[in-house]
Amino acid sequence: MSKAKVTVNDWKTYKRLIRYVRPYRARLAVGLVFGILFGGSLAGMFAGVSKMFEMVFESKEPLPWSAKIAIAAVLPVFAILRGVGDYLCTYMINWIGNRVVMDLRTSTFAHLQDLSLGFFQRNKTGEVISRVVNDSMMVERAVSTVLADLAKQPFALMAVVAIMIWNDWRLALVGLLLFPVCIVPVALFGRRVRRYAREGQQKVADLVSILQETTTGVRIVKAFGMEDYEMERFNERCRAVFSRIMRVTKAQAAVEPIIVAISSIGASIFLLYNMKSSVTISQFVVFAGALVALYEPVKKLSKIHLSIQQSSAAADRIFELLDEPVTVCETVGAVEFNEPVQELSFEHVSFAYEDKPVLKDVCFSVKSGKHVALVGGSGAGKSTMVSLLPRFYDVSDGRVLINGKDIRSFTLKSLRSMIGIVTQETILFNDTVANNIAYGHTDASRDAVIAAAKKAHAHDFILQMPEGYDTFIGERGMRLSGGQCQRLAIARAILRNPPILILDEATSALDTESERQVQAALDELMQGRTVFAIAHRLSTVIHSDVILVLDQGSIVEQGAHQTLLAGGGHYKYLYELQFRESKPGLKS
Ligand code: ADP
């Protein structure tokens, strides 16, 4: 997502936004009808007031009571109609505004689900959250305001102008001339509003990012004593948001006084004209009233531009997210993968993150049920290599094959359902233990969940929790130890029962006792599956069927432990390096 891009064509963004309103045009039409009722009834109110004044001040002969009551009833009847129109129009339009936001949010979220891992690594979580939550809120406000004003105010304006023409067309002309003059300051300030609104939204996104980072990384913040630093960072962004909002406010607030000044000039012209001409009291009252009544629709209609600018700034940011291309997508004609896995191979695979080449001409093949270990220095490309299997990224060159078929020929869902992943950082959701284990298998029975937990050596500690399997675990499993989290993640993988398994340094962050339990759970999980395990400690890979040694994105050696050790190459070097580090005894 580009940060400070300002689209030149505001209308383009707004028109795109209007497309979201299209499904609700029936409601919009109903809203419009009530808008007409709201605006049109103003004419009726004026007619009522005018008649009353005539009756009170100018009538020569006394009117019968029935006529008096009828005239007196005109004002309240139209006032009530106006109120009803106002209420229902506002309701309808706000309904549409909020629905548009709901649709924007759901389509953005759906799009986010399709985006590849690369997108989430490039963009800050807080930024994404802010676009989905805050920017759409800003859009709602503007869509509702703009549509409500467009539905109501033109009719109010027309009613007032009609009244004026009905009374004296020359004065009506004065009123009408005011309108285009009022547009000038609005247009001038519109650009500023858009620019600062966009900057403001970006700063809010920064705020959310800091909040997100410091809450998820709370341990690190505390451990490094960085509370004051983070507080200052947050305060600084708060001040930045404040300053942008105040600039928007300054631009918006300037418009009204300017319009009032222009209007008052119009009013003075009217009074000058009045001094010379002979108008009746009722005419005078109607005109004075009409001038006052003109103020609201003129003000609101002229401010529509500002609202459009403000919402376009926010909508731009959401559309940028929606326009983010889906790089890993379903191939046309993709089929379900529903056969037993027999062989898995990488065929001259190369891969680059954007322009950075990481894997170079990787070739290897493994039969089902074998355990493959990936070793190599940090940054050698191990994680990248296993990320290609579930198509978190697509290869830049070459092919990844299952049973000799390109994995891109399978549907993403069926391919990924074949693969279980247990990473160093386990992701647990703010839900019950049982639901966390059954993640991806919402229809799993309680017995199946318990069986998986038992195999993962997690059953005992789950039973000790206050509500057993129904205990809620906080976000990121705050109430569990690292080893317990991992065993839940392993239970989740066992329940999923995938033929292919990816273990990414699954035990490297644990103490010895936890590691022993997690390793036991992993042994259970690995049985009968094709496993790709990334491990820093070579002690954990000794029993693997094949060890792939990666160096700078290439497989430099492959084979079993003893063969590689005897070969005296890179593996032996890595092994001896670790052996020296972990002296006096190598864990195994
Ligand atoms: P390993 O798992 O062996 O430590 P990785 O596969 O994580 O290595 O990384 C291989 C190389 O790719 C490293 O140089 C790393 O900096 C780079 N890399 C990893 N992820 C990304 C990414 N999302 N964007 C750009 N470069 C990346």
Side-chain angles (χ1 to χ4, degrees):
M1 290 181 287
S2 60
K3 291 274 155 63
K5 199 179 77 187
V6 174
T7 322
V8 189
N9 195 344
D10 319 336
W11 271 106
K12 218 167 121 191
T13 307
Y14 211 76
K15 256 163 48 192
R16 186 165 171 192
L17 205 51
I18 294 296
R19 259 189 268 150
Y20 282 83
V21 178
R22 211 172 284 160
Y24 310 118
R25 47 182 180 260
R27 273 178 188 262
L28 188 63
V30 175
L32 208 63
V33 169
F34 288 118
I36 294 173
L37 184 66
F38 167 83
S41 52
L42 200 62
M45 285 168 70
F46 271 106
V49 171
S50 161
K51 281 281 166 224
M52 267 203 275
F53 270 98
E54 260 176 40
M55 184 173 76
V56 175
F57 296 107
E58 292 157 30
S59 174
K60 305 280 181 293
E61 292 153 29
L63 289 170
W65 268 106
S66 56
K68 283 183 186 169
I69 291 172
I71 290 172
V74 173
L75 180 65
V77 164
F78 278 101
I80 289 168
L81 283 179
R82 187 174 158 84
V84 170
D86 192 10
Y87 177 81
L88 292 174
C89 178
T90 308
Y91 174 81
M92 283 293 170
I93 300 293
N94 277 285
W95 188 96
I96 296 170
N98 283 299
R99 270 309 282 248
V100 166
V101 170
M102 185 174 128
D103 295 348
L104 266 176
R105 283 191 180 139
T106 49
S107 52
T108 319
F109 189 76
H111 187 64
L112 284 174
Q113 304 307 307
D114 288 339
L115 288 176
S116 77
L117 227 57
F119 168 82
F120 295 95
Q121 280 166 349
R122 275 196 315 277
N123 293 286
K124 286 187 285 185
T125 316
E127 170 82 37
V128 175
I129 293 174
S130 188
R131 287 189 192 219
V132 178
V133 179
N134 297 330
D135 288 290
S136 56
M137 213 139 65
M138 180 72 90
V139 167
E140 188 278 321
R141 228 179 295 158
V143 168
S144 299
T145 317
V146 170
L147 288 182
D149 286 346
L150 278 179
K152 288 192 285 193
Q153 302 306 340
F155 304 108
L157 187 72
M158 279 192 273
V160 178
V161 170
I163 286 287
M164 288 176 119
I165 293 173
W166 171 58
N167 246 335
D168 191 326
W169 66 269
R170 281 159 298 192
L171 278 174
L173 211 63
V174 175
L176 286 178
L177 281 177
L178 283 178
F179 192 60
V181 177
C182 290
I183 300 284
V184 179
V186 173
L188 286 179
F189 285 105
R191 283 208 163 277
R192 294 170 73 85
V193 167
R194 182 188 176 84
R195 193 173 121 215
Y196 295 129
R198 194 187 163 93
E199 283 180 12
Q201 290 300 97
Q202 177 59 49
K203 299 291 171 197
V204 172
D206 291 348
L207 269 191
V208 178
S209 285
I210 296 180
L211 198 62
Q212 188 263 336
E213 285 163 12
T214 47
T215 45
T216 50
V218 61
R219 285 165 200 268
I220 303 292
V221 174
K222 287 193 188 302
F224 284 81
M226 292 297 271
E227 292 93 336
D228 290 343
Y229 172 80
E230 294 296 347
M231 222 141 67
E232 185 41 45
R233 228 158 55 102
F234 191 79
N235 292 353
E236 191 220 304
R237 297 310 194 290
C238 278
R239 283 193 293 272
V241 172
F242 176 75
S243 102
R244 294 317 182 284
I245 289 176
M246 286 323 292
R247 282 180 206 175
V248 172
T249 309
K250 263 199 294 197
Q252 278 178 332
V255 172
E256 208 170 309
I258 295 175
I259 294 177
V260 171
I262 297 172
S263 308
S264 61
I265 294 170
S268 298
I269 295 171
F270 161 68
L271 287 174
L272 275 178
Y273 171 83
N274 242 7
M275 283 177 208
K276 291 182 191 161
S277 64
S278 55
V279 285
T280 63
I281 288 185
S282 69
Q283 261 182 324
F284 180 86
V285 171
V286 168
F287 265 117
L291 257 191
V292 175
L294 199 63
Y295 174 70
E296 188 183 309
V298 168
K299 181 184 84 176
K300 291 211 161 144
L301 286 174
S302 56
K303 271 192 165 178
I304 277 184
H305 182 62
L306 301 184
S307 301
I308 288 180
Q309 297 285 7
Q310 203 171 14
S311 66
S312 300
D316 265 348
R317 290 166 46 81
I318 299 175
F319 290 147
E320 269 174 29
L321 203 65
L322 276 172
D323 291 341
E324 192 69 38
V326 177
T327 45
V328 174
C329 45
E330 203 101 289
T331 324
V332 185
V335 293
E336 292 278 310
F337 183 90
N338 52 9
E339 53 192 289
V341 177
Q342 285 155 359
E343 192 186 31
L344 228 150
S345 31
F346 277 53
E347 189 184 80
H348 300 290
V349 168
S350 296
F351 177 77
Y353 287 107
E354 281 154 14
D355 329 323
K356 184 180 174 199
V358 174
L359 296 179
K360 281 155 244 154
D361 199 29
V362 171
C363 290
F364 87 95
S365 187
V366 63
K367 292 266 179 266
S368 106
K370 298 285 182 201
H371 293 180
V372 182
L374 283 86
V375 302
S378 171
K382 306 181 292 292
S383 305
T384 307
M385 199 170 143
V386 294
S387 299
L388 298 180
L389 273 176
R391 288 188 66 200
F392 287 155
Y393 305 99
D394 271 338
V395 294
S396 314
D397 212 354
R399 297 191 300 167
V400 178
L401 309 163
I402 298 183
N403 298 352
K405 293 177 207 145
D406 194 323
I407 54 171
R408 283 171 293 195
S409 65
F410 304 123
T411 58
L412 272 171
K413 221 182 168 72
S414 69
L415 171 72
R416 288 177 183 165
S417 71
M418 293 283 125
I419 303 169
I421 302 176
V422 180
T423 54
Q424 188 174 8
E425 198 202 359
T426 46
I427 303 292
L428 296 174
F429 296 92
N430 188 12
D431 206 336
T432 61
V433 171
N435 286 346
N436 264 290
I437 294 177
Y439 193 74
H441 271 276
T442 37
D443 53 352
S445 69
R446 180 52 66 96
D447 287 344
V449 169
I450 293 174
K454 279 185 176 159
K455 278 191 182 170
H457 297 246
H459 183 66
D460 293 343
F461 81 78
I462 294 173
L463 286 187
Q464 280 166 17
M465 293 168 84
E467 284 155 73
Y469 282 85
D470 295 315
T471 313
F472 264 81
I473 32 185
E475 197 185 350
R476 297 182 134 228
M478 277 302 205
R479 285 154 62 177
L480 295 171
S481 76
Q484 289 172 332
C485 285
Q486 290 223 322
R487 279 181 276 160
L488 286 188
I490 292 169
R492 186 189 281 167
I494 288 175
L495 188 66
R496 192 176 166 92
N497 194 21
I500 302 168
L501 194 64
I502 295 173
L503 306 176
D504 193 348
E505 307 191 328
T507 57
S508 62
L510 303 175
D511 58 70
T512 321
E513 173 54 19
S514 295
E515 188 190 334
R516 199 186 53 75
Q517 286 179 325
V518 170
Q519 194 57 51
L522 279 175
D523 290 342
E524 194 81 48
L525 171 65
M526 292 197 301
Q527 267 174 34
R529 303 178 211 275
T530 314
V531 181
F532 289 84
I534 301 176
H536 265 314
R537 274 166 304 171
L538 301 188
S539 54
T540 58
V541 305
I542 289 172
H543 303 296
S544 303
D545 298 303
V546 192
I547 298 167
L548 302 179
V549 186
L550 268 97
D551 189 31
Q552 296 184 22
S554 301
I555 298 180
V556 288
E557 283 166 35
Q558 55 178 302
H561 172 71
Q562 287 304 338
T563 327
L564 291 179
L565 215 52
H570 198 70
Y571 182 76
K572 184 162 187 266
Y573 165 75
L574 289 173
Y575 189 80
E576 281 176 352
L577 202 67
Q578 282 208 354
F579 186 74
R580 271 202 302 275
E581 276 170 8
S582 58
K583 250 181 175 175
L586 179 71
K587 273 184 274 169
S588 64

